[in-house]
Amino acid sequence: MTSPAQRPVDTARPVVLLTRRLPDAVEARASRDYAAILNPADETLSGAAIAERAAGAGADAVLCCAGDRLDAAAIAALPAGVKVLATFSVGTDHIDLEAARARGLTVTNTPDVLTDATADIALLLILGAARRASEGERMIRADAWTGWTPTQLMGTHLGGKRLGIIGMGRIGQAVAQRARAFGMTIHYSNRKRLPADLEQGAAYHADPEAMLAVCDVLSLHFPATAETRHWLNAERIARLPRGAILVNTARGSVVEDEAVIAALRSGQLAAAGLDVFENEPKLHPGYRDLPNSFLLPHLGSATVETRCAMGFRALDNIDAVLAGREAPDRVM
Ligand code: DGY
């Protein structure tokens, strides 16, 4: 059997390195079309290890994932033959794009296909946080439920509440569409105001900070960059109505954990539904002890259908670049 770090015997076909185990159908297509280097044990590889594997295999393309730390050093260490870095994610914050640009690497992502799954998880978080699902579930598992009472685990009703969305791209719009079905009114802030047919009556706020005062529920949908790091800090949380609910399906680094935890303790935030964390998987331990945090392990896109679609989309991009065509989802 070929060691994963060596170029396979079948050199007639381009070599594609998959950094993680991917759904069977995606691996089957990769292996059908390429000399695919898989990661059957699904080891977490450092950026240096990815570069080393790519060099050992003589990779022409790398299909990487959110969580792979492809910093400048890792990108510099990639072998010269690598033409494309196709990430199995919409987010690209794990890749040093400037370093990739300097190397002349094409970087692609997987937009669109995870919109619905991520919006569904945002609604799950809104509902779970508002209706104290985590506390209820833990009560039952701990065999601590003594029976129905009129005042037990009373949460927040969503109908008539104001949902503030920061970042009204595809996912933000899909969240708005779902939240309307729960009777929520939509406010949003975005770099550009949406046309009326997409806005669908939502109130636009050019300044996200100024919108905070009207957010009974705040849902974050903007990318993690150096500028957005810790955007939601203590000062901005204080602008929310007391007892607001925070939901984050974007990236953990856009909130300041200490400030969110302090607000969950003080009641400034009634609850938080979080699917993403700074320094995943080592999230701030303070979240675990809070009764009013509803926590998921980055499940936004985790449906079979979506993960297969993401893999196929990443392979479509690799196919295009290796065939000398423009990648459909070129980020840079
Ligand atoms: C993404 O695509 O960026 C997600 O966070 C991973 O599903």
Side-chain angles (χ1 to χ4, degrees), residues 17-64:
L17 173 72
L18 277 55
T19 63
R20 300 302 306 236
R21 189 158 82 81
L22 295 182
D24 290 348
V26 177
E27 292 196 346
R29 174 172 149 186
S31 300
R32 181 195 69 193
D33 297 344
Y34 296 106
I37 309 294
L38 309 180
N39 181 356
D42 203 21
E43 282 173 78
T44 302
L45 303 173
S46 65
I50 291 170
E52 194 183 326
R53 227 171 242 217
D60 299 286
V62 175
L63 199 167
C64 63

Side-chain angles (χ1 to χ4, degrees), residues 66 89-91 114 251 298 301 307 310:
S89 61
V90 69
L114 42 65
R251 282 293 182 266
H298 204 146
S301 62
R307 290 280 164 89
M310 290 165 72

Side-chain angles (χ1 to χ4, degrees), residues 164-167 188-191 205-213 215 217-240 246-248 250-260 269 278:
I165 295 174
I166 306 185
Y188 76 99
S189 186
N190 199 41
R191 265 173 309 169
H205 301 254
D207 178 0
E209 238 175 79
M211 183 180 77
L212 294 174
C215 298
V217 178
L218 174 68
S219 193
L220 306 177
H221 299 280
F222 52 90
T225 64
E227 292 72 44
T228 62
R229 184 162 187 272
H230 294 179
W231 185 87
L232 191 69
N233 56 18
E235 192 193 322
R236 292 188 173 117
I237 291 172
R239 291 173 177 251
L240 291 164
L246 166 68
V247 165
N248 189 6
R251 282 293 182 266
S253 65
V254 305
V255 308
E256 194 172 26
D257 289 333
E258 294 285 351
V260 172
L269 287 175
E278 188 157 37

Side-chain angles (χ1 to χ4, degrees), residues 4-17:
Q6 286 166 3
R7 188 170 178 92
V9 181
D10 174 12
T11 49
R13 298 190 297 166
V15 178
V16 175
L17 173 72

Side-chain angles (χ1 to χ4, degrees), residues 66 88-94 110 114 118 249-251 276 298-302 307 310:
F88 180 93
S89 61
V90 69
T92 54
D93 51 299
H94 52 297
T110 59
L114 42 65
T118 308
T249 53
R251 282 293 182 266
V276 286
H298 204 146
L299 294 182
S301 62
R307 290 280 164 89
M310 290 165 72

Side-chain angles (χ1 to χ4, degrees), residues 11-298:
T11 49
R13 298 190 297 166
V15 178
V16 175
L17 173 72
L18 277 55
T19 63
R20 300 302 306 236
R21 189 158 82 81
L22 295 182
D24 290 348
V26 177
E27 292 196 346
R29 174 172 149 186
S31 300
R32 181 195 69 193
D33 297 344
Y34 296 106
I37 309 294
L38 309 180
N39 181 356
D42 203 21
E43 282 173 78
T44 302
L45 303 173
S46 65
I50 291 170
E52 194 183 326
R53 227 171 242 217
D60 299 286
V62 175
L63 199 167
C64 63
C65 295
D68 293 338
R69 296 259 65 91
L70 288 159
D71 58 13
I75 285 174
L78 286 172
V82 174
K83 294 162 201 68
V84 53
L85 210 46
T87 184
F88 180 93
S89 61
V90 69
T92 54
D93 51 299
H94 52 297
I95 301 172
D96 188 322
L97 292 177
E98 274 319 304
R101 187 198 306 277
R103 269 281 314 259
L105 266 181
T106 297
V107 178
T108 66
N109 68 347
T110 59
D112 304 322
V113 290
L114 42 65
T115 299
D116 285 336
T118 308
D120 290 349
I121 283 285
L123 261 293
L124 174 63
L125 292 173
I126 292 174
L127 283 163
R131 299 302 299 273
R132 305 177 64 176
S134 189
E135 286 168 89
E137 230 251 348
R138 271 178 284 173
M139 182 189 276
I140 288 191
R141 286 185 192 279
D143 200 11
W145 187 34
T146 52
W148 188 92
T149 81
T151 56
Q152 190 172 62
L153 292 183
M154 292 186 295
T156 303
H157 195 71
L158 293 183
K161 296 291 185 332
R162 300 161 297 182
L163 170 64
I165 295 174
I166 306 185
M168 198 64 152
R170 288 172 283 244
I171 297 172
Q173 290 170 45
V175 170
Q177 185 194 26
R178 286 157 175 71
R180 283 187 188 99
F182 286 87
M184 303 189 81
T185 55
I186 312 298
H187 293 253
Y188 76 99
S189 186
N190 199 41
R191 265 173 309 169
K192 277 198 208 149
R193 184 170 182 167
L194 298 181
D197 59 323
L198 294 182
E199 203 171 60
Q200 294 194 16
Y204 177 62
H205 301 254
D207 178 0
E209 238 175 79
M211 183 180 77
L212 294 174
V214 300
C215 298
D216 300 312
V217 178
L218 174 68
S219 193
L220 306 177
H221 299 280
F222 52 90
T225 64
E227 292 72 44
T228 62
R229 184 162 187 272
H230 294 179
W231 185 87
L232 191 69
N233 56 18
E235 192 193 322
R236 292 188 173 117
I237 291 172
R239 291 173 177 251
L240 291 164
R242 186 165 176 81
I245 290 171
L246 166 68
V247 165
N248 189 6
T249 53
R251 282 293 182 266
S253 65
V254 305
V255 308
E256 194 172 26
D257 289 333
E258 294 285 351
V260 172
I261 289 165
L264 285 167
R265 287 204 179 110
S266 73
Q268 171 59 15
L269 287 175
L274 307 173
D275 185 46
V276 286
F277 303 90
E278 188 157 37
N279 304 318
E280 289 176 16
K282 297 196 183 311
L283 62 151
H284 193 300
Y287 285 122
R288 290 204 189 89
D289 303 330
L290 289 164
N292 50 351
S293 63
F294 181 52
L295 311 173
L296 295 178
H298 204 146

